[in-house]
Amino acid sequence: MQPKPGQRVQADQKRAAVDICLVFDTTGSMSDKIDGLVRCMVDFVGELAKLRLDWQLTAVPFGDLTVPGDRVVGDLPFVTTREAGERLIRNMPRFSGGGNVGESSLEAVLAALRKPYRTRSVKVLVILTDEPPLEGSQLTVVSVARALRTKEIICFVASPNLPGYKRWAQENGGVWYPISSHMDTNA
C-alpha cells in the first residue's frame, strides 16, 4: 500500500514481513546432531538480524507422542530480536523419543501450521528430524502435505531420505537436505 502524499510511513511497513517456524526434533536420536543444528540456527538468527526484514521466529520442538513424557510444544511465542531468537533456540526442551523408529513430526508440523502467522507475511517452516514420521489412519504424510499447500507455507526439510519429507519441500517452494549421522550439522 502506497502512502498518501505527506503521510509518514512506519519503518516496518517498508520491510518485507517473514514469519519463520523451526519444527525441531529434540529427541535422543538427534543428540549427536542437536548441538550443531542449534549453532547453525543461532547463526541463522544472527544473519536475519542483519537483513532489512520484518521477521519473527518461533519453534515447535517435538518428541514421540507414544513415549510417556514426550510431547509437541506448540505454544512457544514468536520472537523478534536476535537475543530472544537465540534464547528460544538454545532453551528448547529435549525429549526421549524412546527406542522405537519414528517421531511425531506430523503432529509437530500441524502445530506449526496453527501458529498465529501474520496475514501478509511470507511463512517459512524449517523441519529438522532424523526419524520417519509416525503415521496413523487419519494423520498421514499426504494429509500434512495437503495442509502445507493450503497454508501456502515455504517448507525446508533436513531429514532422512524419505519421499514424504522430500515431497513437502519440493511441493512448497523449499529444499530438502539429507540428514544422517555423517552430516556436518554446523553447515
Side-chain angles (χ1 to χ4, degrees), residues 27 75-76 93 102 104 108 123 160:
T27 61
D75 61 353
L76 295 178
S104 297
K123 296 148 192 76

Side-chain angles (χ1 to χ4, degrees), residues 14-186:
K14 293 180 184 178
R15 300 183 300 163
V18 181
D19 295 350
I20 303 162
C21 181
L22 307 176
V23 182
F24 208 124
D25 176 350
T26 61
T27 61
S29 67
M30 288 281 286
S31 62
D32 62 332
K33 301 167 196 75
I34 288 177
D35 291 340
L37 288 170
V38 164
R39 278 191 297 277
C40 185
M41 292 297 103
V42 164
D43 289 347
F44 173 69
V45 169
E47 291 302 313
L48 269 177
K50 296 176 187 175
L51 300 175
R52 289 189 38 83
L53 295 173
D54 175 17
W55 63 271
Q56 62 177 15
L57 174 80
T58 189
V60 177
F62 68 94
D64 178 348
L65 294 176
T66 67
V67 174
D70 277 17
R71 62 193 202 288
V72 172
V73 181
D75 61 353
L76 295 178
F78 276 101
V79 297
T80 58
T81 67
R82 178 180 184 162
E83 296 77 19
E86 290 176 2
R87 196 169 36 256
L88 176 84
I89 293 166
R90 286 190 174 112
N91 295 324
M92 288 185 294
R94 306 275 176 109
F95 301 108
S96 163
N100 62 330
V101 174
E103 307 298 359
S104 297
S105 56
L106 302 176
E107 291 88 349
V109 170
L110 292 181
L113 295 179
R114 289 190 295 270
K115 291 279 193 176
Y117 296 98
R118 295 174 291 177
T119 305
R120 298 190 192 277
S121 68
V122 173
K123 296 148 192 76
V124 179
L125 288 188
V126 178
I127 302 167
L128 306 164
T129 184
D130 68 343
E131 290 278 340
L134 294 171
E135 293 187 274
S137 60
Q138 299 294 317
L139 190 55
T140 65
V141 169
V142 172
S143 67
V144 171
R146 196 170 26 254
L148 283 165
R149 278 192 312 279
T150 300
K151 292 284 189 174
E152 297 181 345
I153 292 183
I154 300 169
C155 186
F156 294 87
V157 183
S159 73
N161 187 2
L162 296 169
Y165 287 136
K166 291 172 95 170
R167 175 183 180 180
W168 292 353
Q170 292 166 346
E171 291 182 358
N172 294 287
V175 178
W176 171 81
Y177 300 95
I179 196 167
S180 70
S181 59
H182 308 318
M183 77 179 295
D184 177 7
T185 55
N186 290 305

